[in-house]
Amino acid sequence: MTMTDQLKEEIRQACEVLKNGGVILYPTDTIWGLGCDATNKEAVKRIYDIKQRADHKSMLVLLDDAGKIASYADVPDIALQLIEVCDKPTTIIYPNAHHLAENLIAEDRTIGIRITTEEFSKSLLYRFRKPVVSTSANISGQPSPQCFAEISEEIKNAVDHIVGFRQSEKKACAPSGIIKLGINGEVQIIRK
């Protein structure tokens, strides 16, 4: 099986799990993440349960195209400029989140969205056609794994599908930067 065939098969399997409300363990443009259909409240609850995390701590979602952000939140004018100039993966927190699972949206009605350029996650999102949750693959309060080898067996055993792509990579990855935008274009840097 060629790399392209393997990638296509991994994406097909992951999409099937997501469509059925399952949770996947997958590579992103930053660290390995737990993912599910961001519009499915029960799937989102499963991720909170796996992470042993309070559901008032919001998680972010990935999209493959900045043009899709407006389908899920208000997009202040400055947002697209920020996406263009960011030289590393950056999550932007947008106001007035909508069309997402209610338990994913923060109490102040915001949602963190990152546009991924990484091959697997971008291809997955393109095929799935909905936003996918992305949160670090660890129990809440424990360090985020820097590569697949650091992910605990507890996490691996709790998911419905582990993507068999990029598992052998050893380079340490970092979480994204985080910027919060207000409805009137206010900018607050949360994490560089």
Side-chain angles (χ1 to χ4, degrees), residues 17-69:
V17 172
L18 293 172
K19 286 177 189 170
N20 291 317
V23 174
I24 63 171
L25 178 58
Y26 71 117
T28 74
D29 53 338
T30 58
I31 58 180
W32 274 74
L34 294 171
C36 71
D37 177 349
T39 66
N40 182 326
K41 184 177 180 179
E42 290 306 311
V44 170
K45 182 183 182 314
R46 278 205 49 222
I47 288 184
Y48 283 121
D49 291 346
I50 290 169
K51 288 184 67 73
Q52 301 170 24
R53 181 176 180 173
D55 65 8
H56 66 275
K57 289 190 170 191
S58 59
M59 297 182 286
L60 68 96
V61 299
L62 293 181
L63 288 171
D64 63 320
D65 184 330
K68 296 178 181 178
I69 299 169

Side-chain angles (χ1 to χ4, degrees), residues 2-191:
T2 68
M3 181 63 95
T4 305
D5 290 341
Q6 180 190 359
L7 178 64
K8 286 179 182 175
E9 180 57 19
E10 286 293 342
I11 290 167
R12 188 197 65 71
Q13 290 177 22
C15 279
E16 199 60 35
V17 172
L18 293 172
K19 286 177 189 170
N20 291 317
V23 174
I24 63 171
L25 178 58
Y26 71 117
T28 74
D29 53 338
T30 58
I31 58 180
W32 274 74
L34 294 171
C36 71
D37 177 349
T39 66
N40 182 326
K41 184 177 180 179
E42 290 306 311
V44 170
K45 182 183 182 314
R46 278 205 49 222
I47 288 184
Y48 283 121
D49 291 346
I50 290 169
K51 288 184 67 73
Q52 301 170 24
R53 181 176 180 173
D55 65 8
H56 66 275
K57 289 190 170 191
S58 59
M59 297 182 286
L60 68 96
V61 299
L62 293 181
L63 288 171
D64 63 320
D65 184 330
K68 296 178 181 178
I69 299 169
S71 297
Y72 303 102
D74 288 355
V75 185
D77 292 338
I78 194 165
L80 298 179
Q81 295 167 352
L82 284 171
I83 292 168
E84 283 181 25
V85 300
C86 287
D87 58 356
K88 70 172 199 159
T90 302
T91 299
I92 298 178
I93 301 172
Y94 295 89
N96 299 322
H98 48 269
H99 300 120
L100 295 166
E102 273 302 312
N103 54 343
L104 188 58
I105 298 171
E107 290 177 11
D108 64 357
R109 304 294 305 160
T110 59
I111 187 68
I113 299 174
R114 187 169 73 245
I115 306 304
T116 183
T117 57
E118 183 269 336
E119 182 182 20
F120 179 82
S121 54
K122 186 172 181 77
S123 298
L124 174 68
L125 288 155
Y126 178 79
R127 176 145 181 210
F128 187 57
R129 303 212 178 281
K130 290 186 199 175
V132 172
V133 168
S134 181
T135 186
S136 57
N138 61 308
I139 303 297
S140 191
Q142 294 180 0
S144 298
Q146 299 300 302
C147 61
F148 180 79
E150 293 182 8
I151 299 170
S152 73
E153 289 304 311
E154 185 176 1
I155 292 290
K156 291 175 184 173
N157 292 332
V159 301
D160 301 302
H161 179 69
I162 299 173
V163 171
F165 192 68
R166 293 184 48 208
Q167 289 185 4
S168 61
E169 292 178 6
K170 299 289 186 222
K171 67 175 183 153
C173 296
S176 70
I178 302 175
I179 299 172
K180 185 172 185 174
L181 299 181
I183 195 70
N184 297 315
E186 307 89 347
V187 177
Q188 177 185 5
I189 296 174
I190 308 283
R191 180 171 67 205

